[in-house]
Structures are given as structure tokens and as C-alpha cells.
Amino acid sequence: MNSKEFFEELSCRLGREEKDVEQLLSSFTEIMTEKLLEGKVVALDGFGVFEVKKEKERIAFNPVSGQRLLVPPRLVLGFRPDAKLQRSLANE
Amino acid sequence: MNEKLTLEELGRLLAECRQMEEAEAEAFVRAFLALVKESLARDKYVRIKGFGTFKLIEGGSCAAESAEWAGTSISFVPDVPLRDAVNKPFAQFEAVPLKEGVHFDDICECEEKTQGQKERQDEPEDSSHMEISPDGLCVEEDTHHVPEKENTDSRKLRLPWCMIASVLLAGVLIGGGIVWTLVSGRQYIPESVVRYLEESKDTASSSARPVAFSREEVKRDSSSFHTKVSDVVAPLKEKESVLETEHASLRKRETLADTIEYVTEGTQASYTLRSGESLARVAQRFYGNKKLWPYLARYNRTLLPDPDNIPVGTTIRIPKLVPKK
């Protein structure tokens, strides 16, 4: 399902306009990002956990060009699905 | 730090932000999550613009962590804006290409994926660290195998190149040195060796012949000149002037004169040694070459029991030297 279909379906279910839904989602994302950067973990019951983790700096080697890159450390948003969700999806 | 933020709290915050009712906001979040779930079940793939992409990964080949939902997992790749927003504190860092020979002991060197694999696995790559997906594990493994092989190949190629270069360089240096010593005419090599080399050159290569010839001629010239001069000059007994001319004329050929063996033929003059003079000095004055002093020593061996220690005022005879044929 692509983004357009998703928003159509969501607005249909909520009985709102598509634009409204998009704005809602963007502010939802903003809040989530803000809280994640504060070091909090967003745990959505029955869905999964969003968590920011620090990835250490590393040296990447490109075997084609032979060049080595020092990749800086970064913060990565990870998602860990809930066991319930995984099980329900596996059973279908 | 690791405070958990639940769905309800998120709903409340969203309501505050949008100035709407809490229940409504929460309903939105729930509907959003439910729809993600449903579409995942149906299409195994949901892309939400501005948020990210959820993918259902059904493994099988790779061992799952738990057998309960064997091999099924969900991967989430955040969209670029979300990813950058999360990485905001570290945004000022950039990847830096390293020069050859720069190593860090505390950072492990991991190999980047090859081009083809990168294209295939483009999206999950970014978040592969966080995934529990067993598929991700598989990919990691085979990417580690392929570049290693290439790496050893390149190392194999690199070593002989260096060796060949150094061997060539050494060869050029040694060859250059030999040619220089032969051509420059300085006597770093014993005459017998040079002569042998020249003979072999004469027979072997025609290109080296003119050089050898001219050298031989020069030698002969110098020796004949030397004898001529001494022949003419000896009867005159004008020692000083003779010495001057001989000295001047022979100085240039000094280096060649000692390479020829001489035969002593009668006495040419006699000379009284003054203080501070040695046989080498006398040889330098009469023959223009101080290396010829052994002839003096041999010729005067009755007079001089010890050539290194000669009393002042000793009169020695100076032999006439004729080149050995």
C-alpha cells in the first residue's frame, strides 16, 4: 500500500479530510521525534517500540573503488515490533 | 532516560498541539496504527509519506530468534525527514574519506556492501542495525564474504608490483654505477679487472671499442711522452726546470701513469733528501706521480734499509723508468 492509498483509507475511516489527516500525522511525527530526542522510548501497546539508538563511528571500505570512509556516529531510529503484532501477522 | 512514552500520552500531547480533544487524538493514533497493521497483513508493505516504510519480512531460510512466529518480522525504515530529524544532534558530522595507511585501533573496519547488493537491499540497509529481521542477518553474512575475497585479491596484486619496482630500481642503479666507473676513467677497479673487462668488451660488443681504444692510446701516449721528455732532459741536468715541465705535463695524466709497469734503466739523476721530504714526494717531483715511490725504494735498497724512515741528507739515485713492453 502506498502513501496515497494509506491516507485515503485513513481519512475515510476517521471521517476527516485527507489534508487534515496528513497534518495530524506530521504533528504526530514531530511530537514523536521530539520525545525520542529527549531520550524517551515510544512504546505503542500492541504495535511496537520506537527507539533511538546510537550507532558508533566505523570505517567503511568500498571494495570497488578501494576507498575507505570514516563514517561518523549517528542516531538511528529503530522499530521493534510487538510480539503480539508479529504473531498475529504470522498467523494470517 | 529510558522513560517510556505510551500511546495515551502521545495522544494527549497531540491533542495539546492541535488543540483538539484528547479522545479524538487518541482515536486518530489508534486508527493509524490499526491501518498500518491491516495493510501490512494485506500487502506486506506500507509506505507513509513523512513517516517511513513498514515491511513484513517472511523469512524461513534464516533461523528466527523464536520459533513461535518463525521467520516473520517487521522492518521499519524511517523516511528521510524523520531520519534526519532523529539524527539532528549528530548532523554536523560528515563521512570523511581516509588516506592510505591511516588506521584506528579502536574502530573496527567493516566492509561496505558491494554495489549490486546495495541496490537490492537499499532500504533496509539504513536500519539493518535495529532490525530483528533474520533476513537482515543473512544479508550481513554474505556481504562479509564477498568483499573479503576481493580484498585478498588486491593485496596479492599489490605486493609483486612493489617488488618489481624495487628490483628494477636496484638494477638500474647498479648498472649505472658500473657504466660510470668504466667510462669516467677513475681507477676504482683494479687495472687487471678493467683490462679483462675491456678485452671481453672488445670481443663482445663493438660499441664499446672506441672508448677502450682511446684509453689505451692515451696511456701509450703518456708513457712515451714521459720517456721522451726524460731522454731529452737527462743530459742537460737542469733539474729544476725539468722538474717543472715534467711536473706540469704529467700532472694531468697522473691517474694513468701508475697503471703501467715500469723497468728501471740506469740512473737518471741523484737527489739529496731534505727534511720533511719522503720518497713519495721525490717520486712526485721526478715522475709526476707519487705512487711510483716503490721504484725509488727498490732502486736504492742498499742505501735505504727502511723506506719509511730515511735520515735527512741521504742522497738517493733516481732511476730512469721505461714502460714495460
Side-chain angles (χ1 to χ4, degrees):
Chain A
M1 189 184 263
N2 63 28
S3 197
K4 204 176 164 230
E5 287 167 344
F6 183 81
F7 282 115
E8 271 172 22
E9 181 77 32
L10 193 59
S11 63
C12 188
R13 283 189 191 188
L14 287 167
R16 285 167 180 273
E17 276 184 36
E18 243 176 85
K19 257 192 184 171
D20 198 21
V21 173
E22 270 177 51
Q23 278 175 353
L24 261 174
L25 188 72
S26 72
S27 44
F28 170 75
T29 314
E30 258 171 52
I31 291 164
M32 220 176 86
T33 316
E34 198 182 299
K35 293 293 159 194
L36 282 168
L37 283 178
E38 283 170 20
K40 289 184 179 174
V41 175
V42 177
L44 302 172
D45 198 33
F47 189 74
V49 180
F50 287 98
E51 203 176 358
V52 170
K53 275 196 176 168
K54 191 191 158 193
E55 199 176 84
K56 267 195 158 186
E57 67 270 25
R58 64 197 165 87
I59 293 168
F61 178 74
N62 185 344
V64 178
S65 63
Q67 201 182 30
R68 297 188 312 137
L69 276 177
L70 179 62
V71 180
R74 56 180 183 174
L75 294 171
V76 184
L77 175 61
F79 172 66
R80 217 166 45 228
D82 197 272
K84 265 190 267 174
L85 175 65
Q86 269 184 329
R87 204 175 302 137
S88 68
L89 285 174
N91 290 340
E92 271 172 31
Chain B
M1 259 307 264
N2 261 2
E3 215 177 305
K4 275 193 181 175
L5 196 69
T6 58
L7 196 148
E8 288 77 22
E9 280 174 83
L10 254 181
R12 191 164 45 75
L13 285 167
L14 184 62
E16 264 174 43
C17 176
R18 300 286 299 181
Q19 274 127 31
M20 58 200 279
E21 275 178 41
E22 248 176 69
E24 217 176 328
E26 213 182 295
F28 162 76
V29 177
R30 281 186 195 283
F32 168 70
L33 297 177
L35 186 56
V36 170
K37 245 187 259 182
E38 271 174 44
S39 41
L40 263 180
R42 199 165 4 119
D43 298 343
K44 296 169 185 174
Y45 173 89
V46 200
R47 173 161 148 74
I48 304 147
K49 202 181 157 198
F51 192 74
T53 309
F54 289 96
K55 256 191 207 166
L56 187 67
I57 296 164
E58 284 171 311
S61 56
C62 292
E65 280 162 44
S66 168
E68 213 176 337
W69 54 85
T72 305
S73 72
I74 297 160
S75 89
F76 170 68
V77 180
D79 253 14
V80 175
L82 181 59
R83 196 185 66 197
D84 290 348
V86 166
N87 194 35
K88 211 174 174 186
F90 285 176
Q92 76 272 23
F93 295 129
E94 270 175 36
V96 189
L98 289 176
K99 284 176 189 165
E100 284 279 317
V102 181
H103 291 287
F104 299 100
D105 294 334
D106 51 342
I107 305 173
C108 73
E109 298 208 10
C110 32
E111 320 239 310
E112 219 166 66
K113 285 159 191 178
T114 50
Q115 213 62 39
Q117 283 161 329
K118 217 178 210 172
E119 278 163 27
R120 190 163 53 81
Q121 283 286 335
D122 205 17
E123 291 191 333
E125 190 205 19
D126 291 323
S127 63
S128 62
H129 222 72
M130 305 292 293
E131 283 173 13
I132 329 167
S133 84
D135 199 45
L137 286 174
C138 278
V139 171
E140 289 266 329
E141 246 170 70
D142 63 33
T143 52
H144 269 277
H145 280 303
V146 175
E148 259 168 42
K149 223 185 248 171
E150 284 176 37
N151 208 16
T152 49
D153 277 353
S154 65
R155 224 172 275 158
K156 259 182 214 164
L157 281 172
R158 218 175 284 162
L159 189 70
W161 182 86
C162 284
M163 275 170 66
I164 289 166
S166 53
V167 164
L168 275 177
L169 189 69
V172 165
L173 282 175
I174 291 167
I178 288 170
V179 166
W180 183 74
T181 45
L182 283 177
V183 169
S184 68
R186 294 197 194 174
Q187 297 302 315
Y188 290 104
I189 305 170
E191 182 64 17
S192 56
V193 177
V194 173
R195 215 172 284 154
Y196 173 76
L197 280 172
E198 275 168 1
E199 271 166 24
S200 62
K201 250 187 207 172
D202 278 346
T203 53
S205 67
S206 54
S207 63
R209 197 170 286 168
V211 181
F213 249 126
S214 60
R215 276 174 56 79
E216 214 108 308
E217 276 167 6
V218 167
K219 259 183 253 163
R220 228 162 266 159
D221 267 359
S222 72
S223 49
S224 63
F225 180 74
H226 172 92
T227 48
K228 235 181 261 168
V229 167
S230 52
D231 273 348
V232 172
V233 158
L236 294 177
K237 302 272 180 187
E238 289 174 34
K239 257 188 229 164
E240 290 307 310
S241 61
V242 171
L243 289 175
E244 286 305 312
T245 49
E246 257 189 284
H247 196 77
S249 63
L250 287 174
R251 189 177 274 163
K252 280 179 196 167
R253 296 182 177 128
E254 183 187 313
T255 50
L256 291 174
D258 67 328
T259 59
I260 296 166
E261 277 186 62
Y262 293 90
V263 176
T264 50
E265 227 176 52
T267 311
Q268 167 190 323
S270 63
Y271 183 77
T272 309
L273 282 162
R274 276 172 271 171
S275 86
E277 279 185 324
S278 63
L279 287 183
R281 177 73 77 73
V282 175
Q284 174 76 33
R285 288 185 77 173
F286 281 88
Y287 306 126
N289 190 338
K290 59 190 171 197
K291 286 172 190 161
L292 295 178
W293 69 265
Y295 290 102
L296 294 175
R298 200 169 25 170
Y299 198 65
N300 295 290
R301 55 179 172 263
T302 48
L303 283 168
L304 312 168
D306 179 12
D308 290 330
N309 185 16
I310 305 164
V312 176
T314 311
T315 305
I316 56 165
R317 293 168 297 149
I318 311 297
K320 205 197 299 180
L321 295 184
V322 176
K324 207 178 195 176
K325 289 282 152 66

